């Protein structure tokens, strides 16, 4: 039931003379951010505290689903996530139409064999992300967030019923109905907030701290988003 979690590079120092400075066109690309691993309590402590505001929020501010990671597969982000998380891979017809297959929704432990009965949940909902810092992002960054497949914790295939029960609530307001899922859920919530530099309000932070005490052996894996 546990989904695979996510996966630095060393810096190279060069001696440069004033006659050999690199131009902007030839400068080396930025070094990718290193993956980070923390226990849950320490990870919760690294989420910045801030008041939330939903002023100006529109779901359309986060473009999704886009063409996904593989531009040649005719699948959008939703279907690519379904294919990645399938316990039994569905049949893929023209236009990436999916049928059959099997998934296990970790929020409620339900097995689902019809992709139409699954939602792809944004671990931190779009409205909550807006409240927590995404309101200041560019449209391109919001699109990247809404279609983030580079972290296994960002998007998850779950039953439509559980996703719609969650809506835009944070862990102070909603937790998966399956108690065994709580530690995983909190770790993935915190991983997503840290990956994208999002904040938490006081009520949310207090709830996360309570769960961190109960989930003392839980580990958070994340890589800061580009």
């Amino acid at each position: 039931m546990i989904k695979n979690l996510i996966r630095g590079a060393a810096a190279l120092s060069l001696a440069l003379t004033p006659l050999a400075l690199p131009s902007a066109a030839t400068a080396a690309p930025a070094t990718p951010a290193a993956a980070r691993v923390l226990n849950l309590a320490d990870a919760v402590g690294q989420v910045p505290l801030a008041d939330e505001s939903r002023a100006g929020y529109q779901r359309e501010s986060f473009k999704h689903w886009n063409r996904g990671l593989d531009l040649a597969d005719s699948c959008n982000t939703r279907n690519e996530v379904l294919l990645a998380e399938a316990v039994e891979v569905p049949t893929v017809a023209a236009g990436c139409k999916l049928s059959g297959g099997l998934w296990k929704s970790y929020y409620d432990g339900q097995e689902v064999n019809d992709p139409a009965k699954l939602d792809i949940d944004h671990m931190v909902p779009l409205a909550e992300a807006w409240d927590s810092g995404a309101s200041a992002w560019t449209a391109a960054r919001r699109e990247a967030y809404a279609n983030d497949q580079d972290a296994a914790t960002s998007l998850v295939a779950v039953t439509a019923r559980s996703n719609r029960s969650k809506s835009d609530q944070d862990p102070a307001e909603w937790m998966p109905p399956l108690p065994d899922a709580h530690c995983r859920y909190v770790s993935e919530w915190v991983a997503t907030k840290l990956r994208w530099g999002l904040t938490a309000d006081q009520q949310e932070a207090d709830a996360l701290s309570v769960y961190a005490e109960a989930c003392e052996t839980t580990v958070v894996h994340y890589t800061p988003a580009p």
Side-chain angles (χ1 to χ4, degrees):
M1 176 167 97
I2 301 297
K3 183 172 62 175
N4 289 333
L5 297 174
I6 57 176
R7 293 70 51 197
L12 182 64
S13 177
L14 297 176
L16 298 172
T17 69
L19 297 177
L21 292 174
S23 68
T26 60
T31 302
R36 302 176 187 179
V37 182
L38 299 167
N39 66 53
L40 180 55
D42 288 343
V44 168
Q46 290 197 13
V47 179
L49 275 176
D51 292 335
E52 294 184 354
S53 172
R54 195 156 297 182
Y57 170 71
Q58 297 181 41
R59 188 170 177 83
E60 294 74 19
S61 296
F62 295 82
K63 181 182 176 181
H64 68 289
W65 305 110
N66 66 18
R67 293 174 63 192
L69 292 179
D70 185 350
L71 302 183
D73 68 1
S74 300
C75 297
N76 63 13
T77 297
R78 170 186 161 82
N79 281 357
E80 286 185 353
V81 173
L82 287 172
L83 288 167
E85 296 196 0
V87 177
E88 296 177 7
V89 180
T91 299
V92 183
C96 199
K97 182 176 176 58
L98 307 183
S99 59
L102 181 68
W103 293 263
K104 189 158 186 178
S105 167
Y106 94 80
Y107 288 1
D108 50 13
Q110 298 297 304
E111 291 190 346
V112 179
N113 56 17
D114 179 356
K117 295 181 179 178
L118 292 161
D119 281 354
I120 304 303
D121 182 34
H122 292 93
M123 174 54 60
V124 174
L126 302 181
E128 169 69 20
W130 179 274
D131 299 350
S132 307
S135 59
W137 294 351
T138 64
R141 188 165 180 81
R142 287 195 288 266
E143 180 179 352
Y145 176 85
N147 297 275
D148 184 16
Q149 294 188 69
D150 290 324
T153 57
S154 295
L155 301 171
V156 57
V158 294
T159 57
R161 175 180 295 183
S162 64
N163 183 47
R164 292 166 199 185
S165 171
K166 171 182 174 178
S167 185
D168 58 8
Q169 299 175 94
D170 69 32
E173 304 160 314
W174 184 91
M175 288 293 286
L178 187 66
D180 287 350
H182 289 182
C183 291
R184 174 184 172 184
Y185 182 80
V186 172
S187 74
E188 295 190 353
W189 179 278
V190 172
T192 305
K193 287 238 161 171
L194 291 174
R195 171 169 168 77
W196 288 93
L198 298 171
T199 62
D201 63 19
Q202 190 63 62
Q203 182 182 21
E204 176 188 345
D206 289 345
L208 293 173
S209 294
V210 169
Y211 283 108
E213 281 190 36
C215 303
E216 59 184 359
T217 63
T218 299
V219 174
V220 173
H221 300 249
Y222 77 98
T223 302

